Amino acid sequence: MAAPVVETCHVACGANGTPHVLSWSRRGLVAFGTCHSVALYDPQKRNTVALLNRHSARVNAVQWVRRQDCGPESKLISGSSDHSVIIWEELNGTFVPSIQCAGHTGPVCAVDAVLLGRSKLLVASAASDSTVKLWLTNEGKVECLQTLTFGSGFMMDVSLTLIAFPRHIICLHWPPLPFCHEDWIRGVEWTTRDGELWLASCAQDCLIRVWRLFAKLQGGREDKAEAALRLKEDVFEVTENGTTSLYAMTLETVLAGHENWVYGIHWQPSYIKDETVHQPLSLLSASMDKTMILWGPEDASGVWVEQVRVGEVGGNTLGFYGCQMSPDGHMILAHAFHGALHLWHRDPNQEWSPAVIVSGHFDAVQDLSWDPEGDYIVTVGLDQTTRLFTPWRRKGWAQPTWHEISRPQIHGYDMQCLAMVGRFQFVSGADEKVLRVFRAPRNFVENFANIAGRPLEDDMPEGASTPALGLSNKAVFQGQHLLQRSCLFLHFVCGFTWTEPPPEDHLLQNTLWPEIQKLYGHGFEMFCLASDSTRTVVASACKASKAEHASILLWSSSSWKQLQSLPCHSLTVTQMSFSPDARLLLAVSRDRTWSLWKREDPPSGSSDPLFSLYTHTKKETAVHARIIWSCDWSADNKYFVTSSRDKKVIVWGHGASGDPVGEGAVAIGPCSSVLDVGDSATAVAFCPFPCADHSYLLAVGLEGGRILLYKWRPMAEPSAASDWTRCGQTDDSQSHSLAVKRLRWRSRPGLAGQQGAELDHSWVQLASAGVDHALKIFNVHLQAL
C-alpha cells in the first residue's frame, strides 16, 4: 500500500466555552467541541485522533451514546449553534455523520440519547428556542416524535433514561420536584443502580441535589411510625395497555461544598463485574470556584461526603464549565471557561495529581512561526495569548507527542502577528500600536532541554512575572534583584523544573517570558511582522485606510531602533516576507499590489542596513483583482509567490532566465500561468526542499479550510496551468473548518523530535494556523508526491 502524501502529526485546540461540550467514552476517547468541529482525544496516547467536521457553527454539546451492556460506544451525538443535531457512527474505524436532525430555530445547547435496540435511537435535544425535541432514528431515517415547549424558559440541560416498558417510548412530564434548587439549574444526569434510578442536579445556588426514583408497591400497608420516618415522596403513575404502575421520587441528599456556581455534574460510568452491571455511587461535580469534587456515601453510615477535591490555584481565569470521569474511575477531567482541559489521575497510593493533556487556543490562531532550528512552534491568537509547542520525547515511546510547554505572553489585546528573532527571542504585535520583544528565561530553556532534549544557552534571566496592574512581563534575575524579592516568590515564578509538559495552572503563571523592549512608531493596530534570515532586521506594518499609515517600518534587532519607513502602499500591508538570502523584502497589500524592496550598502560610518524600492505593481497593471492575502519565497531566491481573494496563485520572477530575483536583466513578471484554486487563497508557502523531479512544492490554504499541495515546474511559455500539478490535499477530517490564516514549512527536513526520522529527507513538515482555533502540523511525504 502506497504511503499517504499528507499525515496529521498534531492538532492543538481548546474546548468551546459551553457546559456540555465534553464527553468521555468507554472506548477511552474524549470527545469535545472545538469551534465548529468535534475533536476526539486519546488520553493514553496523548494525541488528538480525529476532528469531525460537518457543523457550520459552534459545537455546544457532545454526548456519547451509552450501551446498556457497558460495551464501547459506536455512536456520538453533537449539537450546534447551526440549530442542528448530528449523529456520528463508527464506520471502518472512523466516525462519519450518519443522520442530521434539523428542526430547532435556535442554537442547540444540550443533547442526550438512549439505545432502544440495535438500530433504534431515541435522541433528546434542548435549544435556546425554549423547546426540547425528541427524535427517533431507525436505519438512517429520523422522525421528530414530540416537541416540548417551555414558553419563555431556557433549557440548560437534558438527560434521558428508560424507567419502564422498555419496548415502548414513554414521555413523562410530572409537576416540579419538591425541595428543588433556588437558582438556575445548570446540569442534570441520570444513572441506574439495583433497579432504581438516581438523578443528580446542580445549580447556581452552589448546591448539588441527589434524587432517587423507584417503583412503589400498590396496595401495601404501612403503620404511622414508618410513614413519619419516611422521606417525603413525589408519586406519579404510568399507565400502559391498562396496566398502571406507581413510581415515587424522593430527595436523597443535598451536597454543599462549592463556593460558586456548579456547572457540571457526572456519575461514574457503570462497569461489568462477574457478568453483572455495577454502578458505583460516585458523583463528580465542577464549579466556577475552580474546583472539582468527588462525592460518595460513607460505607458505614451511608451519609454522602466529599471524598476528593482537586482544582486550579491562582491565575486570572474563571472556573470549570463541565467534568467527566474515565470508565475505570482513575482519571477525572474538567474543561474551563477559557477552553483549557484539566486532567487529574489517581496513582496506586490513591493520590491525585495533574496529568498531561492537549491544549490550544480557544479563538482564531492568527499567526505562527517555527524557531530557526525547527524544534518548536510559536503561535498567537485572538484569545490574547502566545503559545509554544514542541515534541515531547518520552522514555519507552517511539513516537513523540506535541504539547504546549510555555505561554510566553498573556496579553490584554487580541494577538495578530509574530516573528522569531533568533532561537529564543521573538517580536509580537496585537490590536495595539506597540510591538513587544520577548526573550526566553533560563528556566524555560532548561525545561525545554529536559522535555525536547536540546542544548542550553547562558546569560538569560531566571524567569518572568506579570505585575498586578500592567501588560509587561518583568524579568526575574539572580544576584541583586534576587535580594529584592522573597525566596518563596522567586521559587513560585521560576523555580520549577519540568521533565514533562506543565499543566494549565503552571502554563498560566510560571512559563512567561520577560519583555525586553517596546517598539513605538505605528499609528494603528499591528497587522503583520517579518524578520530576515540573518536576524538583524524586523519589518512591521499596521492596519491602514490611508497611504500615510500604510508604510512599512524597519527595526534593528540589535539596538531596537527604527531604521526606516518604507512608503508605497495605500491600504493595509497584509503580509511580508524577506528573501532567504535577506537581500529583498516582499510586501503584499489590501490595495491588490505587491512591492519589492532591496537592501543597499549602508552609508559610511553606519552598520545599519538600508532598503530602497526595487519594483512594484500598480492597480492598473496588477494581475490580482482582489486583496492579496499572502506571499512567500522559493529557497533558491529565484521566485516568489502571491495568493489572493480572487482565487489566484501566481509565481513571479525574471522569466525563463532563472536568475535570482533582483539580479536579472529582465523585468520581474509572472513566471507561471495563473492558478485558479477555486476558493479565496488566504495562505501560501514554498517548501524549502525540492521534489524528486526538481520541481517546486507549494502549499495553498483556502478560506474554506482545505490545504492544497501543488508542484510547479518553470516553463518558457506556460499556458492553461500546464506548469501546475496538484499532488495532494487535506481530506475532510484533516482540513480546517474555517479559513487558513498561515502556512509555514519547517526549515529542516525530517520529522521534529523523532529519533532516526529527524534527518529523513523523504519527509517534511508543514504547520497551519486557522480561524477554527486550531494549530495543525502535517507530515508530507515527498517521495509519495
Side-chain angles (χ1 to χ4, degrees):
M1 183 177 178
V5 174
V6 181
E7 295 179 352
T8 302
C9 172
H10 178 66
V11 178
C13 54
N16 291 334
T18 56
H20 311 300
V21 79
L22 187 68
S23 185
W24 201 327
S25 73
R26 287 190 176 94
R27 62 192 302 132
L29 294 181
V30 175
F32 63 92
T34 173
C35 196
H36 297 179
S37 307
V38 178
L40 301 182
Y41 177 77
D42 190 336
Q44 298 297 332
K45 297 181 179 179
R46 293 171 175 169
N47 68 333
T48 304
V49 209
L51 279 183
L52 310 181
N53 297 324
R54 180 54 63 94
H55 286 291
S56 58
R58 185 182 70 174
V59 175
N60 299 321
V62 173
Q63 181 63 54
W64 291 97
V65 182
R66 309 296 183 188
R67 291 173 46 174
Q68 296 181 7
D69 62 358
C70 300
E73 298 86 347
S74 59
K75 297 178 186 293
L76 177 68
I77 312 293
S78 61
S80 167
S81 291
D82 61 9
H83 306 176
S84 72
V85 175
I86 293 181
I87 302 172
W88 307 82
E89 292 194 29
E90 186 181 20
L91 180 64
N92 298 327
T94 61
F95 283 85
V96 297
S98 62
I99 297 175
Q100 184 169 3
C101 307
H104 284 290
T105 58
V108 178
C109 59
V111 294
D112 199 9
V114 291
L115 287 168
L116 301 179
R118 298 189 62 181
S119 60
K120 286 186 178 182
L121 184 66
L122 178 64
V123 180
S125 59
S128 61
D129 57 8
S130 301
T131 65
V132 173
K133 289 183 178 291
L134 294 175
W135 314 82
L136 180 64
T137 69
N138 188 10
E139 296 181 350
K141 299 179 181 179
V142 61
E143 174 189 2
C144 182
L145 295 178
Q146 188 175 1
T147 299
L148 306 178
T149 304
F150 295 88
S152 59
F154 186 75
M155 301 300 102
M156 298 293 183
D157 197 7
V158 63
S159 184
L160 282 180
T161 190
L162 298 175
I163 67 168
F165 308 112
R167 297 182 181 180
H168 301 273
I169 299 167
I170 302 172
C171 178
L172 301 176
H173 186 200
W174 61 82
L177 298 176
F179 312 113
C180 207
H181 294 277
E182 298 178 356
D183 207 334
W184 288 12
I185 299 176
R186 286 292 183 170
V188 290
E189 184 169 310
W190 290 103
T191 193
T192 304
R193 176 184 170 89
D194 299 332
E196 297 180 342
L197 293 176
W198 293 70
L199 175 67
S201 61
C202 60
Q204 293 180 184
D205 59 5
C206 308
L207 298 178
I208 301 162
R209 294 176 181 263
V210 179
W211 317 79
R212 186 166 59 95
L213 176 64
F214 54 93
K216 191 173 179 64
L217 298 177
Q218 301 187 47
R221 301 180 64 181
E222 61 181 354
D223 55 30
K224 293 182 179 181
E226 290 178 347
L229 294 174
R230 180 169 42 84
L231 293 173
K232 185 175 180 180
E233 300 173 348
D234 185 50
V235 181
F236 60 93
E237 296 181 350
V238 176
T239 302
E240 177 71 13
N241 296 330
T243 302
T244 300
S245 300
L246 285 180
Y247 290 88
M249 195 161 191
T250 183
L251 179 63
E252 184 72 15
T253 186
V254 177
L255 306 177
H258 288 292
E259 299 176 356
N260 208 329
W261 296 355
V262 185
Y263 265 90
I265 201 146
H266 178 63
W267 291 100
Q268 180 177 340
S270 56
Y271 58 91
I272 299 290
K273 183 179 181 181
D274 298 329
E275 300 182 354
T276 305
V277 176
H278 290 262
Q279 173 59 60
L281 280 183
S282 183
L283 184 64
L284 182 66
S285 62
S287 168
M288 275 292 168
D289 63 6
K290 301 183 183 181
T291 65
M292 282 197 298
I293 299 178
L294 197 59
W295 309 86
E298 289 184 327
D299 294 336
S301 64
V303 176
W304 284 71
V305 295
E306 173 186 319
Q307 297 175 334
V308 175
R309 181 188 290 257
V310 298
E312 178 184 331
V313 178
N316 57 355
T317 61
L318 295 178
F320 296 147
Y321 256 151
C323 56
Q324 290 284 296
M325 191 182 303
S326 65
D328 59 6
H330 291 297
M331 289 188 286
I332 54 179
L333 176 66
H335 72 285
F337 180 82
H338 282 159
L341 298 176
H342 299 253
L343 179 66
W344 283 266
H345 69 90
R346 182 171 57 190
D347 60 25
N349 297 324
Q350 304 301 309
E351 296 291 335
W352 290 86
S353 58
V356 177
I357 196 169
V358 68
S359 64
H361 292 275
F362 58 89
D363 208 335
V365 186
Q366 294 293 94
D367 201 0
L368 67 88
S369 181
W370 291 85
D371 85 291
E373 302 296 323
D375 289 332
Y376 63 83
I377 293 175
V378 184
T379 61
V380 293
L382 298 185
D383 59 1
Q384 305 181 351
T385 64
T386 301
R387 302 174 186 243
L388 189 148
F389 301 86
T390 194
W392 175 28
R393 293 181 175 179
R394 285 180 285 170
K395 293 182 179 180
W397 289 77
Q399 299 289 335
T401 52
W402 283 75
H403 297 274
E404 181 183 0
I405 66 165
S406 178
R407 205 161 296 171
Q409 183 183 11
I410 301 175
H411 205 23
Y413 294 94
D414 293 353
M415 303 299 301
Q416 294 291 347
C417 51
L418 87 155
M420 295 298 301
V421 188
R423 191 179 185 194
F424 294 112
Q425 186 169 271
F426 70 88
V427 185
S428 68
D431 278 344
E432 58 175 344
K433 305 173 185 178
V434 185
L435 291 169
R436 299 174 186 267
V437 186
F438 296 86
R439 190 182 182 195
R442 181 173 181 82
N443 181 246
F444 163 78
V445 180
E446 292 174 348
N447 289 330
F448 170 73
N450 293 335
I451 296 171
R454 294 303 181 187
L456 298 174
E457 289 191 8
D458 295 323
D459 300 326
M460 293 181 173
E462 287 296 310
S465 63
T466 302
L469 299 176
L471 299 175
S472 302
N473 300 343
K474 302 300 182 182
V476 178
F477 289 91
Q478 288 184 341
Q480 179 179 0
H481 292 282
L482 176 60
L483 301 177
Q484 301 174 5
R485 296 169 171 85
S486 68
C487 296
L488 176 63
F489 174 76
L490 182 64
H491 175 78
F492 183 74
V493 171
C494 56
F496 291 94
T497 300
W498 298 101
T499 57
E500 63 180 25
E504 178 68 18
D505 54 342
H506 286 279
L507 286 172
L508 281 171
Q509 301 177 86
N510 305 323
T511 63
L512 295 171
W513 289 18
E515 180 183 313
I516 62 173
Q517 192 71 41
K518 291 185 180 70
L519 308 180
Y520 299 91
H522 287 286
F524 289 92
E525 295 88 347
M526 301 308 307
F527 198 83
C528 62
L529 280 165
S531 64
D532 66 348
S533 57
T534 61
R535 311 299 171 188
T536 59
V537 179
V538 174
S540 62
C542 68
K543 295 179 181 178
S545 57
K546 297 180 180 179
E548 59 185 294
H549 302 299
S551 297
I552 300 169
L553 300 187
L554 299 183
W555 310 84
S556 168
S557 62
S558 58
S559 64
W560 295 115
K561 294 181 179 179
Q562 182 177 326
L563 301 176
Q564 274 183 282
S565 175
L566 308 179
C568 178
H569 295 283
S570 59
L571 294 174
T572 305
V573 173
T574 54
Q575 199 169 106
M576 299 176 292
S577 179
F578 283 93
S579 60
D581 59 7
R583 293 183 305 107
L584 299 163
L585 170 63
L586 173 65
V588 295
S589 170
R590 194 179 293 270
D591 63 12
R592 310 173 187 177
T593 67
W594 56 259
S595 61
L596 194 61
W597 305 81
K598 189 174 183 179
R599 185 192 294 254
E600 306 290 348
D601 294 332
S604 59
S606 174
S607 59
D608 294 332
L610 293 177
F611 282 77
S612 62
L613 184 62
Y614 180 75
T615 186
H616 67 100
T617 56
K618 300 179 180 180
K619 290 183 179 180
E620 300 78 18
T621 58
V623 180
H624 289 295
R626 303 291 297 277
I627 175 176
I628 305 177
W629 279 124
S630 185
C631 61
D632 198 21
W633 288 87
S634 63
D636 55 11
N637 302 286
K638 294 181 179 180
Y639 306 98
F640 62 86
V641 62
T642 57
S643 67
S644 168
R645 181 180 285 173
D646 61 7
K647 309 176 185 180
K648 297 176 182 178
V649 175
I650 303 172
V651 177
W652 307 77
H654 289 292
S657 66
D659 295 327
V661 175
E663 299 180 5
V666 182
I668 293 178
C671 293
S672 70
S673 60
V674 176
L675 175 65
D676 189 336
V677 293
D679 194 6
S680 175
T682 53
V684 67
F686 260 113
C687 178
F689 310 103
C691 299
D693 57 359
H694 303 291
S695 60
Y696 295 90
L697 176 64
L698 293 94
V700 181
L702 306 183
E703 191 171 32
R706 195 172 295 275
I707 298 173
L708 310 178
L709 296 181
Y710 283 92
K711 289 199 296 184
W712 174 73
R713 180 181 294 275
M715 293 184 177
E717 296 182 0
S719 61
S722 59
D723 51 339
W724 293 98
T725 304
R726 183 186 290 191
C727 53
Q729 66 177 14
T730 54
D731 57 31
D732 291 341
S733 64
Q734 294 174 318
S735 300
H736 292 273
S737 59
L738 292 174
V740 179
K741 292 293 291 185
R742 189 70 152 159
L743 292 172
R744 288 286 186 99
W745 294 91
R746 185 169 180 256
S747 59
R748 293 188 173 187
L751 306 180
Q754 292 195 17
Q755 297 287 354
E758 290 187 296
L759 300 179
D760 186 356
H761 289 250
S762 63
W763 289 93
V764 289
Q765 288 187 302
L766 173 67
S768 67
V771 181
D772 60 353
H773 313 176
L775 161 70
K776 298 191 177 187
I777 303 172
F778 300 101
N779 301 333
V780 180
H781 196 196
L782 288 177
Q783 295 182 354
L785 295 175

